[in-house]
Amino acid sequence: MSSTSRITLINPDRPRAPQPAALPAIEVLSAEKIYPNGTRALLPVDLTIRQGEFVSLLGPSGCGKSTLLKMIAGLIEPSDGKLMLFRRDRRESQRDVPLSFVFQEATLMPWSNVHKNVRLPLDLAGVLRAEADTRVREILELVGLEKFGHVLPRELSGGMQMRVSIARGLVTRPKVLLMDEPFGALDEITRNKLDSDLLDLWQEQKLTVVFVTHSIQEAVFLSQRVIMMAARPGRVVDDIRIETTLTRDDDFRVSQPFTHYAQQLQRGLFAASQESKS
Ligand SMILES: Nc1ncnc2c1ncn2[C@@H]1O[C@H](COP(=O)(O)OP(=O)(O)O)[C@@H](O)[C@H]1O
Ligand SMILES: [Mg+2]
Protein backbone atom coordinates (compact mmCIF):
# COMPACT_ATOMS: atom_id res chain seq x y z
CA MET A 1 0.00 0.00 0.00
CA SER A 2 2.84 2.37 0.79
CA SER A 3 4.50 1.76 -2.60
CA THR A 4 2.26 4.33 -4.27
CA SER A 5 3.14 7.99 -4.20
CA ARG A 6 1.30 10.34 -1.92
CA ILE A 7 -1.40 12.47 -3.44
CA THR A 8 -1.00 16.02 -4.57
CA LEU A 9 -4.39 17.51 -5.08
CA ILE A 10 -3.21 20.28 -7.33
CA ASN A 11 -0.10 19.85 -9.42
CA PRO A 12 1.64 23.24 -9.39
CA ASP A 13 3.61 22.42 -12.56
CA ARG A 14 0.59 21.85 -14.70
CA PRO A 15 -2.00 24.53 -15.38
CA ARG A 16 -5.35 23.16 -14.37
CA ALA A 17 -7.64 22.59 -17.32
CA PRO A 18 -11.23 23.26 -16.36
CA GLN A 19 -12.58 19.88 -15.34
CA PRO A 20 -16.18 18.99 -15.96
CA ALA A 21 -17.73 18.71 -12.50
CA ALA A 22 -18.02 15.08 -11.43
CA LEU A 23 -21.54 13.75 -11.10
CA PRO A 24 -23.13 13.70 -7.67
CA ALA A 25 -22.61 10.48 -5.74
CA ILE A 26 -24.65 11.52 -2.69
CA GLU A 27 -27.35 14.16 -2.49
CA VAL A 28 -28.88 15.02 0.86
CA LEU A 29 -32.05 17.01 0.19
CA SER A 30 -33.44 18.80 3.24
CA ALA A 31 -33.01 15.61 5.23
CA GLU A 32 -33.61 15.98 8.96
CA LYS A 33 -33.85 13.62 11.88
CA ILE A 34 -36.00 13.55 14.98
CA TYR A 35 -35.57 10.28 16.87
CA PRO A 36 -38.68 8.50 18.17
CA ASN A 37 -37.94 9.75 21.70
CA GLY A 38 -38.27 13.34 20.44
CA THR A 39 -34.55 14.17 20.21
CA ARG A 40 -33.97 16.58 17.34
CA ALA A 41 -30.64 15.18 16.18
CA LEU A 42 -30.34 17.07 12.92
CA LEU A 43 -31.94 20.17 11.40
CA PRO A 44 -32.59 19.90 7.64
CA VAL A 45 -29.32 19.28 5.76
CA ASP A 46 -28.64 20.03 2.09
CA LEU A 47 -25.41 18.57 0.82
CA THR A 48 -24.04 17.26 -2.47
CA ILE A 49 -20.99 15.03 -2.50
CA ARG A 50 -19.53 14.34 -5.92
CA GLN A 51 -18.06 11.12 -7.25
CA GLY A 52 -14.47 10.72 -6.17
CA GLU A 53 -14.61 13.38 -3.46
CA PHE A 54 -13.08 12.95 -0.01
CA VAL A 55 -15.35 14.77 2.41
CA SER A 56 -15.15 14.93 6.20
CA LEU A 57 -17.95 15.64 8.64
CA LEU A 58 -16.34 17.54 11.51
CA GLY A 59 -17.93 18.62 14.76
CA PRO A 60 -18.23 18.04 18.50
CA SER A 61 -19.96 15.09 20.13
CA GLY A 62 -23.70 15.08 19.63
CA CYS A 63 -23.82 17.32 16.52
CA GLY A 64 -25.39 14.59 14.41
CA LYS A 65 -22.38 13.31 12.45
CA SER A 66 -23.25 9.65 12.97
CA THR A 67 -26.92 10.37 12.33
CA LEU A 68 -26.11 11.96 8.96
CA LEU A 69 -23.75 9.13 7.99
CA LYS A 70 -26.31 6.48 8.97
CA MET A 71 -28.96 8.21 6.86
CA ILE A 72 -26.58 8.16 3.88
CA ALA A 73 -25.92 4.47 4.55
CA GLY A 74 -29.62 3.71 4.78
CA LEU A 75 -29.24 2.39 8.32
CA ILE A 76 -31.83 4.95 9.48
CA GLU A 77 -34.51 6.91 7.62
CA PRO A 78 -34.76 10.71 7.68
CA SER A 79 -37.86 12.07 9.43
CA ASP A 80 -38.29 14.42 6.50
CA GLY A 81 -36.48 15.16 3.23
CA LYS A 82 -34.70 12.54 1.17
CA LEU A 83 -31.39 11.19 -0.04
CA MET A 84 -30.16 10.25 -3.48
CA LEU A 85 -27.30 7.91 -4.38
CA PHE A 86 -25.92 8.26 -7.89
CA ARG A 87 -28.97 10.32 -8.84
CA ARG A 88 -31.52 7.75 -7.75
CA ASP A 89 -33.63 7.67 -4.61
CA ARG A 90 -31.49 5.99 -2.00
CA ARG A 91 -34.14 3.40 -1.19
CA GLU A 92 -34.16 2.22 -4.83
CA SER A 93 -30.43 2.40 -5.47
CA GLN A 94 -29.54 0.72 -2.17
CA ARG A 95 -29.28 -2.74 -3.65
CA ASP A 96 -27.02 -2.01 -6.59
CA VAL A 97 -24.80 0.82 -5.37
CA PRO A 98 -21.92 -0.83 -3.54
CA LEU A 99 -21.48 1.13 -0.36
CA SER A 100 -19.47 0.11 2.70
CA PHE A 101 -19.55 1.34 6.26
CA VAL A 102 -16.53 1.21 8.57
CA PHE A 103 -17.15 1.82 12.28
CA GLN A 104 -14.83 2.89 15.09
CA GLU A 105 -14.77 -0.64 16.48
CA ALA A 106 -13.27 -3.17 14.10
CA THR A 107 -16.13 -5.60 15.05
CA LEU A 108 -14.28 -8.69 13.84
CA MET A 109 -15.43 -12.24 14.53
CA PRO A 110 -12.95 -13.33 17.24
CA TRP A 111 -13.19 -17.02 16.36
CA SER A 112 -12.39 -16.51 12.65
CA ASN A 113 -9.03 -15.72 11.16
CA VAL A 114 -8.31 -12.51 9.24
CA HIS A 115 -8.92 -14.08 5.84
CA LYS A 116 -12.37 -15.40 6.82
CA ASN A 117 -13.32 -12.12 8.49
CA VAL A 118 -12.54 -10.22 5.30
CA ARG A 119 -14.34 -12.83 3.19
CA LEU A 120 -17.58 -12.54 5.19
CA PRO A 121 -19.37 -9.99 2.92
CA LEU A 122 -18.53 -12.12 -0.13
CA ASP A 123 -19.79 -15.28 1.61
CA LEU A 124 -23.01 -13.44 2.45
CA ALA A 125 -23.34 -12.31 -1.17
CA GLY A 126 -22.88 -15.88 -2.38
CA VAL A 127 -19.64 -15.24 -4.28
CA LEU A 128 -18.01 -18.53 -5.24
CA ARG A 129 -15.28 -19.60 -2.82
CA ALA A 130 -12.35 -19.58 -5.27
CA GLU A 131 -13.22 -16.12 -6.57
CA ALA A 132 -13.80 -14.84 -3.03
CA ASP A 133 -10.46 -16.20 -1.80
CA THR A 134 -8.63 -14.50 -4.66
CA ARG A 135 -10.29 -11.17 -3.90
CA VAL A 136 -9.52 -11.47 -0.19
CA ARG A 137 -5.85 -12.10 -0.93
CA GLU A 138 -5.73 -9.06 -3.24
CA ILE A 139 -7.34 -6.78 -0.70
CA LEU A 140 -5.15 -8.03 2.17
CA GLU A 141 -2.12 -7.18 0.07
CA LEU A 142 -3.53 -3.73 -0.60
CA VAL A 143 -3.79 -2.99 3.13
CA GLY A 144 -0.43 -4.56 3.91
CA LEU A 145 -1.77 -7.64 5.69
CA GLU A 146 -0.94 -10.33 3.14
CA LYS A 147 1.07 -12.27 5.71
CA PHE A 148 -1.67 -12.26 8.35
CA GLY A 149 -4.56 -14.09 6.68
CA HIS A 150 -4.33 -17.10 9.01
CA VAL A 151 -4.04 -15.06 12.22
CA LEU A 152 -6.87 -14.50 14.73
CA PRO A 153 -7.94 -10.86 15.38
CA ARG A 154 -6.79 -10.91 19.05
CA GLU A 155 -3.22 -11.54 17.91
CA LEU A 156 -3.21 -8.20 16.05
CA SER A 157 -2.63 -4.64 17.27
CA GLY A 158 -5.53 -2.15 17.23
CA GLY A 159 -4.20 -0.52 14.06
CA MET A 160 -3.93 -3.86 12.28
CA GLN A 161 -7.44 -4.84 13.38
CA MET A 162 -8.69 -1.60 11.84
CA ARG A 163 -6.87 -2.49 8.60
CA VAL A 164 -8.77 -5.79 8.60
CA SER A 165 -12.00 -3.87 9.07
CA ILE A 166 -11.14 -1.57 6.14
CA ALA A 167 -10.20 -4.59 4.00
CA ARG A 168 -13.58 -6.15 4.81
CA GLY A 169 -15.21 -2.87 3.74
CA LEU A 170 -13.29 -2.76 0.47
CA VAL A 171 -13.56 -6.42 -0.55
CA THR A 172 -17.00 -5.82 -2.09
CA ARG A 173 -15.44 -3.12 -4.31
CA PRO A 174 -17.67 -0.30 -3.06
CA LYS A 175 -17.94 3.01 -4.85
CA VAL A 176 -18.69 4.80 -1.61
CA LEU A 177 -16.88 4.29 1.69
CA LEU A 178 -18.56 5.70 4.80
CA MET A 179 -16.31 5.85 7.86
CA ASP A 180 -17.47 6.80 11.36
CA GLU A 181 -14.45 7.87 13.43
CA PRO A 182 -12.62 4.77 12.23
CA PHE A 183 -9.29 5.65 13.84
CA GLY A 184 -10.63 7.39 16.95
CA ALA A 185 -9.51 4.65 19.31
CA LEU A 186 -5.94 4.46 18.00
CA ASP A 187 -2.78 6.18 19.18
CA GLU A 188 -1.73 9.23 17.19
CA ILE A 189 1.18 7.68 15.32
CA THR A 190 -0.90 4.71 14.18
CA ARG A 191 -3.74 7.02 13.26
CA ASN A 192 -1.46 9.23 11.14
CA LYS A 193 -0.15 6.20 9.30
CA LEU A 194 -3.64 4.89 8.60
CA ASP A 195 -4.73 8.36 7.45
CA SER A 196 -1.93 8.33 4.84
CA ASP A 197 -2.74 4.81 3.73
CA LEU A 198 -6.41 5.69 3.46
CA LEU A 199 -5.55 8.50 1.02
CA ASP A 200 -3.64 6.00 -1.12
CA LEU A 201 -6.63 3.64 -1.11
CA TRP A 202 -8.99 6.48 -1.93
CA GLN A 203 -6.92 7.38 -4.95
CA GLU A 204 -6.17 3.84 -6.15
CA GLN A 205 -9.74 2.63 -5.79
CA LYS A 206 -11.36 5.87 -7.03
CA LEU A 207 -13.59 5.93 -3.98
CA THR A 208 -16.01 8.52 -2.78
CA VAL A 209 -15.29 8.82 0.95
CA VAL A 210 -17.38 10.39 3.70
CA PHE A 211 -15.28 10.42 6.85
CA VAL A 212 -16.58 11.37 10.29
CA THR A 213 -14.11 12.82 12.77
CA HIS A 214 -13.96 15.24 15.66
CA SER A 215 -10.28 15.88 15.00
CA ILE A 216 -9.54 19.13 13.19
CA GLN A 217 -6.06 17.88 12.28
CA GLU A 218 -7.38 14.67 10.79
CA ALA A 219 -10.02 16.56 8.79
CA VAL A 220 -7.46 18.98 7.33
CA PHE A 221 -5.01 16.22 6.51
CA LEU A 222 -7.49 14.00 4.70
CA SER A 223 -10.16 16.10 3.12
CA GLN A 224 -10.85 17.98 -0.05
CA ARG A 225 -13.87 19.39 1.75
CA VAL A 226 -14.83 19.69 5.38
CA ILE A 227 -18.49 19.91 6.36
CA MET A 228 -18.49 21.66 9.71
CA MET A 229 -21.29 20.80 12.11
CA ALA A 230 -22.50 22.19 15.43
CA ALA A 231 -24.60 20.74 18.25
CA ARG A 232 -27.76 21.71 20.13
CA PRO A 233 -29.39 21.41 17.68
CA GLY A 234 -27.28 19.30 15.31
CA ARG A 235 -26.75 21.17 12.04
CA VAL A 236 -24.33 21.96 9.22
CA VAL A 237 -22.70 25.36 9.71
CA ASP A 238 -20.02 25.52 7.00
CA ASP A 239 -18.54 23.82 3.97
CA ILE A 240 -14.83 24.48 3.56
CA ARG A 241 -12.51 23.45 0.74
CA ILE A 242 -9.01 22.38 1.75
CA GLU A 243 -6.91 23.32 -1.25
CA THR A 244 -3.17 22.94 -1.29
CA THR A 245 -0.39 22.45 -3.76
CA LEU A 246 1.46 20.38 -1.17
CA THR A 247 1.59 16.62 -1.16
CA ARG A 248 -0.34 15.26 1.81
CA ASP A 249 2.48 13.62 3.72
CA ASP A 250 4.10 14.16 7.12
CA ASP A 251 5.61 17.48 5.99
CA PHE A 252 2.14 18.75 5.16
CA ARG A 253 1.17 18.27 8.82
CA VAL A 254 3.72 20.87 9.92
CA SER A 255 3.29 23.24 6.97
CA GLN A 256 1.91 26.76 6.97
CA PRO A 257 -1.19 25.93 4.86
CA PHE A 258 -2.06 23.08 7.24
CA THR A 259 -1.84 25.39 10.25
CA HIS A 260 -3.86 28.02 8.40
CA TYR A 261 -6.73 25.61 7.72
CA ALA A 262 -6.60 24.11 11.21
CA GLN A 263 -6.93 27.59 12.71
CA GLN A 264 -9.78 28.48 10.35
CA LEU A 265 -11.68 25.33 11.34
CA GLN A 266 -10.94 25.90 15.02
CA ARG A 267 -12.34 29.42 14.86
CA GLY A 268 -15.40 28.20 12.97
CA LEU A 269 -16.13 25.48 15.51
CA PHE A 270 -15.64 27.92 18.36
CA ALA A 271 -18.01 30.47 16.82
CA ALA A 272 -20.63 27.78 16.18
CA SER A 273 -20.45 26.55 19.78
CA GLN A 274 -20.82 30.11 21.10
CA GLU A 275 -23.93 30.47 18.92
CA SER A 276 -25.38 27.27 20.37
CA LYS A 277 -25.01 28.53 23.95
CA SER A 278 -26.62 31.90 23.38
N1 LIG B 1 -31.09 6.25 18.59
C1 LIG B 1 -31.18 7.47 19.15
N2 LIG B 1 -32.28 7.82 19.85
C2 LIG B 1 -32.38 9.06 20.41
N3 LIG B 1 -31.43 10.00 20.31
C3 LIG B 1 -30.31 9.69 19.64
C4 LIG B 1 -30.11 8.42 19.02
N4 LIG B 1 -28.90 8.42 18.40
C5 LIG B 1 -28.37 9.62 18.63
N5 LIG B 1 -29.20 10.40 19.37
C6 LIG B 1 -28.99 11.80 19.77
O1 LIG B 1 -28.92 12.57 18.59
C7 LIG B 1 -27.92 13.58 18.71
C8 LIG B 1 -26.90 13.39 17.61
O2 LIG B 1 -26.22 12.15 17.86
P1 LIG B 1 -25.08 11.58 16.90
O3 LIG B 1 -25.56 11.59 15.51
O4 LIG B 1 -24.66 10.28 17.48
O5 LIG B 1 -23.93 12.68 17.07
P2 LIG B 1 -22.34 12.57 16.84
O6 LIG B 1 -22.06 11.36 16.03
O7 LIG B 1 -21.96 13.86 16.18
O8 LIG B 1 -21.71 12.49 18.21
C9 LIG B 1 -27.37 13.45 20.13
O9 LIG B 1 -28.07 14.35 20.95
C10 LIG B 1 -27.66 12.02 20.49
O10 LIG B 1 -27.81 11.89 21.88
MG1 LIG C 1 -20.88 9.67 16.36
Side-chain angles (χ1 to χ4, degrees):
M1 180 155 52
S2 47
S3 59
T4 51
S5 57
R6 293 273 174 266
I7 60 161
T8 310
L9 291 181
I10 301 165
N11 183 346
D13 302 322
R14 200 158 13 119
R16 274 198 297 167
Q19 298 281 325
L23 290 173
I26 299 162
E27 291 164 277
V28 183
L29 303 167
S30 304
E32 61 180 88
K33 184 66 185 176
I34 302 171
Y35 281 106
N37 69 356
T39 303
R40 180 172 273 281
L42 209 52
L43 295 181
V45 172
D46 283 289
L47 178 65
T48 300
I49 294 172
R50 294 183 182 278
Q51 293 180 27
E53 267 193 309
F54 197 121
V55 174
S56 290
L57 308 179
L58 173 72
S61 240
C63 69
K65 303 182 296 294
S66 296
T67 298
L68 180 52
L69 204 68
K70 284 182 200 160
M71 290 199 307
I72 293 170
L75 297 172
I76 58 173
E77 287 297 320
S79 323
D80 206 353
K82 67 172 180 174
L83 291 98
M84 313 278 280
L85 281 184
F86 296 88
R87 316 237 64 181
R88 285 162 61 207
D89 193 294
R90 208 220 45 231
R91 281 165 300 190
E92 291 164 26
S93 51
Q94 191 91 340
R95 263 165 264 122
D96 40 67
V97 174
L99 178 148
S100 284
F101 204 116
V102 175
F103 300 94
Q104 180 169 340
E105 296 80 30
T107 57
L108 304 173
M109 300 180 293
W111 57 85
S112 281
N113 67 26
V114 165
H115 185 98
K116 286 184 188 149
N117 265 285
V118 173
R119 202 179 61 205
L120 178 68
L122 300 181
D123 292 345
L124 293 175
V127 176
L128 291 177
R129 179 59 58 86
E131 154 85 4
D133 283 337
T134 305
R135 273 164 71 174
V136 170
R137 278 192 291 273
E138 281 169 12
I139 210 80
L140 285 179
E141 190 169 350
L142 203 62
V143 300
L145 286 178
E146 64 275 16
K147 296 200 180 77
F148 296 88
H150 61 285
V151 163
L152 288 174
R154 66 164 178 272
E155 299 171 61
L156 300 176
S157 67
M160 288 163 91
Q161 290 184 20
M162 192 42 74
R163 280 177 197 276
V164 178
S165 176
I166 292 171
R168 184 183 52 193
L170 290 176
V171 80
T172 51
R173 300 181 178 148
K175 288 192 196 166
V176 177
L177 191 60
L178 306 174
M179 309 182 85
D180 196 349
E181 305 200 36
F183 311 142
L186 304 175
D187 65 86
E188 197 176 341
I189 292 168
T190 305
R191 177 199 276 220
N192 291 353
K193 173 79 175 91
L194 282 170
D195 283 344
S196 292
D197 291 345
L198 176 60
L199 284 182
D200 289 341
L201 287 170
W202 166 61
Q203 199 175 48
E204 282 167 24
Q205 309 282 304
K206 302 187 171 39
L207 297 163
T208 305
V209 180
V210 188
F211 188 96
V212 165
T213 180
H214 55 246
S215 161
I216 290 174
Q217 276 69 27
E218 192 171 40
V220 173
F221 183 77
L222 288 173
S223 325
Q224 293 178 305
R225 255 170 94 195
V226 178
I227 307 301
M228 193 189 286
M229 298 177 68
R232 290 181 302 278
R235 63 201 189 277
V236 169
V237 291
D238 211 347
D239 182 344
I240 293 139
R241 265 183 195 285
I242 309 291
E243 289 192 279
T244 176
T245 55
L246 298 174
T247 300
R248 301 205 183 199
D249 56 12
D250 287 342
D251 289 337
F252 177 53
R253 291 183 184 279
V254 292
S255 70
Q256 200 274 330
F258 186 96
T259 311
H260 162 82
Y261 279 118
Q263 285 174 352
Q264 182 186 347
L265 293 179
Q266 182 68 68
R267 279 194 292 270
L269 286 174
F270 184 67
S273 77
Q274 292 297 102
E275 238 172 69
S276 303
K277 281 180 205 148
S278 59

